Amino acid sequence: MSSIVVSDLAYSPPGADQLFFDVSFGVSPGEHAAIVGPNGVGKSTILKILTGQYEADDGDFNIGGTFLQMTQDVGMSSPDDALRDMLIEVAPAALRIAGKTLFAAEKAMMSGEDDGMKYAEALGDWGDLGGYELEAQWAAAAQRSVKTPVTDFASRLVRELSGGERKRLVLDLLLNSGADVLFLDEPDNYLDIPTRTWLEDSIKACKSTILMVSHDRTLLERVATKIIAVEGSGCWVHGGSYTTFPEARQKRQELMGDDLKRWNDEERRLFHHMKIMKQRAAQNFKNATKANGAETRWEKFVKAGPPPPPVADQQIYVRFTGADSARRVVKFESVAVDDLFKPFSDEVHFGERVGLIGPNGTGKTHLLNALNGIANNQVGTITFGPRTSVGMFNQINDRPEYTGRECIDIVRDRLTDEQKSMAALARYGLRNNARQEFQTLSGGQKARLEILGLELAGHNVLLLDEPTDNLDIESSEALEQALEGFEGTVIAVSHDRTFLQRFSRFVMITDDGDVYEIPDYDLALEGLSSPHTLATLRLAKPLTGE
């Protein structure tokens, strides 16, 4: 049976407080369940325990049938590896071991360290376990997922594929593998909007039991049949899609509050009754039995303990202030970068929210980097208007200068005062991470710290590269609300459809290198799903070839 059963799971990271201690849930055969919760609560940790990467402190779990897994950083940590090295990591356990043995034997033979006997033996094991069939699956998945043909998985390097292509290749392989159970950690990260739509359709069509972690609200609404909410050191289950989850959580919170109030009221009633009976027993010994009974009832009630209180909502307060600038914030004149797109001209005005959209690999991040003054092979000119201060959020949150530094020290660089620094960290839900070194933070915590740095810098032009990719849902909503009140200009690359709905206009780069201005969110989605219609799309304005 392709089910997942988890009972009383508990885990403490090395040298840290207990992350969770009461995680119990079940996923029935064929269900597509999603784990949700704040950054750092342990969502990815649960997947790592279930797949054998971490060992739980307590509790039990059972996975029915075969399983395959995809980590959230698949293909990102070793870009100089060959594609086969990346793909063997998501193969079934026996084939994974056989494949690594084969690759090592091949390398030894090619270098002259082995006469070929170990290679021949490893090749036989590879074939016996179904390695050639797996290679055929690789080829079929690559044909569907990679823009340029892959003829040799041993020589084609991971870095030659975009982040989205790497993710789609792995997802295509897993979703068509026929495995009983799939564990997917943030499968939507690095995927463009058309590929996210493909992912949604593929998950819906997949017969495997799926347990995933995702922060993409649109994906959760469309594919999740069960929501597992990790909060309050445990979890609870909503047996429906994410569409009805916020309402269900609100009702649960209210009921928990009602239950606790009723318990407190009953405890006070029993206590007062016991006190009255004690007083009566003091006046008349015949009431002693009743007084003892009242005391026993109160003691048993208190010993059983109160019901759990409502879980405190995560409070994230982002305060972008910004400042006024000239009406024309930035002017593009025949701008192109690395021949990724054709030279285009455009202007961005004060207060606009401009979304840079288009398929992966079309140069959106390159254009954002050019706006930030970091670009290779740029042609044309980018000119900022007077009184502009530009800050950029990087998708990777790669900050080598922060390695080994505690969060409080990073924030204190800006605020100098420790009390104010702690208050700022608290607004971003990072108070408990104040003494934690940057490199040990989760991806979402790093993203929050990065956004806090932008806030404290006081820029009035924000360049955001996939700002919600690693943020939990509450943090994404806090960021969106802050941008609503931000006095300044925002230019963002994003594939988060919920986030993009708040933008005023869009600049789309197509696979052919054409650049279009689209003034409407619905039209932008229409253009993304049918790029060939852009030339005739109502209100779409070409910015190239003028």
Side-chain angles (χ1 to χ4, degrees), residues 12-90:
S12 301
D17 294 334
Q18 197 163 47
L19 195 57
F20 49 78
F21 58 83
D22 187 24
V23 170
S24 300
F25 62 87
V27 184
S28 301
E31 278 192 318
H32 299 156
I35 303 177
V36 301
N39 290 134
V41 78
K43 302 184 297 295
S44 295
T45 299
I46 292 171
L47 293 191
K48 289 176 180 178
I49 291 172
L50 299 182
T51 55
Q53 298 172 70
Y54 289 177
E55 185 175 347
D57 297 335
D58 199 3
D60 301 296
F61 63 89
N62 181 67
I63 301 167
T66 60
F67 73 85
L68 296 176
Q69 60 174 309
M70 186 196 72
T71 60
Q72 83 179 247
D73 62 347
V74 63
M76 304 302 166
S77 56
S78 302
D80 292 324
D81 283 352
L83 277 183
R84 71 177 185 181
D85 297 319
M86 179 184 79
L87 295 177
I88 202 64
E89 292 295 337
V90 297

Side-chain angles (χ1 to χ4, degrees), residues 98-119:
K100 290 182 177 182
T101 302
L102 175 62
F103 303 159
E106 181 185 59
K107 185 177 180 180
M109 184 181 68
M110 296 297 290
S111 65
E113 297 175 14
D114 182 68
D115 60 4
M117 293 296 292
K118 289 183 179 179
Y119 175 75

Side-chain angles (χ1 to χ4, degrees), residues 254-419:
E254 291 171 359
L255 287 173
M256 291 174 75
D258 291 344
D259 288 345
L260 184 60
K261 182 179 184 301
R262 280 194 292 270
W263 188 93
N264 286 327
D265 290 345
E266 180 66 4
E267 188 274 332
R268 284 193 295 270
R269 188 187 71 80
L270 291 173
F271 180 79
H272 288 311
H273 177 67
M274 177 196 70
K275 286 292 187 183
I276 291 171
M277 296 310 297
K278 288 278 189 182
Q279 290 171 2
R280 290 179 180 176
Q283 296 169 0
N284 187 342
F285 72 93
K286 292 181 180 180
N287 290 320
T289 302
K290 293 180 180 179
N292 291 336
E295 184 175 23
T296 299
R297 283 194 298 274
W298 174 74
E299 288 176 345
K300 284 184 177 180
F301 188 82
V302 171
K303 186 176 180 181
V311 177
D313 289 332
Q314 181 180 227
Q315 301 294 330
I316 306 295
Y317 297 104
V318 183
R319 298 174 183 167
F320 288 125
T321 52
D324 194 9
S325 70
R327 179 179 178 274
R328 187 171 70 194
V329 172
V330 62
K331 182 176 182 180
F332 300 92
E333 296 178 278
S334 300
V335 172
V337 182
D338 275 338
D339 295 325
L340 290 166
F341 47 83
K342 299 171 186 175
F344 77 98
S345 300
D346 193 20
E347 291 184 357
V348 177
H349 297 147
F350 176 75
E352 283 192 315
R353 306 295 191 256
V354 181
L356 298 180
I357 61 174
N360 282 329
T362 53
K364 302 182 297 297
T365 295
H366 288 76
L367 179 56
L368 213 59
N369 285 330
L371 280 164
N372 197 37
I374 307 169
N376 296 320
N377 303 320
Q378 176 190 328
V379 299
T381 58
I382 297 175
T383 308
F384 281 94
R387 305 189 308 280
T388 53
S389 173
V390 181
M392 181 163 174
F393 174 95
N394 190 293
Q395 178 186 19
I396 308 299
N397 305 130
D398 183 18
R399 290 282 196 167
E401 70 272 25
Y402 290 166
T403 300
R405 300 191 66 199
E406 295 179 347
C407 294
I408 185 69
D409 295 327
I410 295 169
V411 176
R412 201 160 42 202
D413 288 346
R414 291 278 185 188
L415 293 176
T416 64
D417 181 82
E418 179 150 347
Q419 187 174 354

Side-chain angles (χ1 to χ4, degrees), residues 450-493:
E450 186 82 6
I451 293 170
L452 174 57
L454 278 181
E455 175 196 307
L456 297 177
H459 302 294
N460 59 7
V461 180
L462 299 180
L463 310 176
L464 308 178
D465 190 9
E466 294 286 1
T468 62
D469 244 16
N470 288 310
L471 292 180
D472 57 47
I473 293 169
E474 292 83 355
S475 300
S476 294
E477 291 173 346
L479 173 62
E480 291 161 2
Q481 291 170 7
L483 292 178
E484 284 287 324
F486 171 56
E487 186 182 353
T489 307
V490 181
I491 304 173
V493 173

Side-chain angles (χ1 to χ4, degrees), residues 16 19 39-41 314 316 405-411 422 425-426 428-438 440-442 444-446 448-449:
L19 195 57
N39 290 134
V41 78
Q314 181 180 227
I316 306 295
R405 300 191 66 199
E406 295 179 347
C407 294
I408 185 69
D409 295 327
I410 295 169
V411 176
M422 285 296 293
L425 287 169
Y428 278 73
L430 295 171
R431 177 188 289 275
N432 293 336
N433 308 100
R435 299 298 174 185
Q436 191 172 338
E437 291 187 355
F438 176 79
T440 66
L441 298 174
S442 70
Q445 290 165 339
K446 288 179 181 177
R448 284 194 224 164
L449 191 62

Side-chain angles (χ1 to χ4, degrees), residues 168-225:
R168 172 159 178 166
L169 175 58
V170 171
L171 285 166
D172 189 301
L173 192 64
L174 296 185
L175 292 168
N176 290 288
S177 66
D180 294 314
V181 177
L182 297 176
F183 295 101
L184 308 177
D185 194 357
E186 303 213 20
D188 47 278
N189 276 11
Y190 299 101
L191 299 185
D192 56 31
I193 291 175
T195 309
R196 290 185 187 213
T197 302
W198 164 85
L199 174 61
E200 291 162 2
D201 293 339
S202 299
I203 289 177
K204 287 179 183 177
C206 184
K207 296 181 179 179
S208 302
T209 301
I210 298 176
L211 181 60
M212 73 185 98
V213 172
S214 176
H215 299 138
D216 186 319
R217 289 156 284 181
T218 304
L219 181 141
L220 290 173
E221 290 172 356
R222 293 181 179 177
V223 307
T225 57

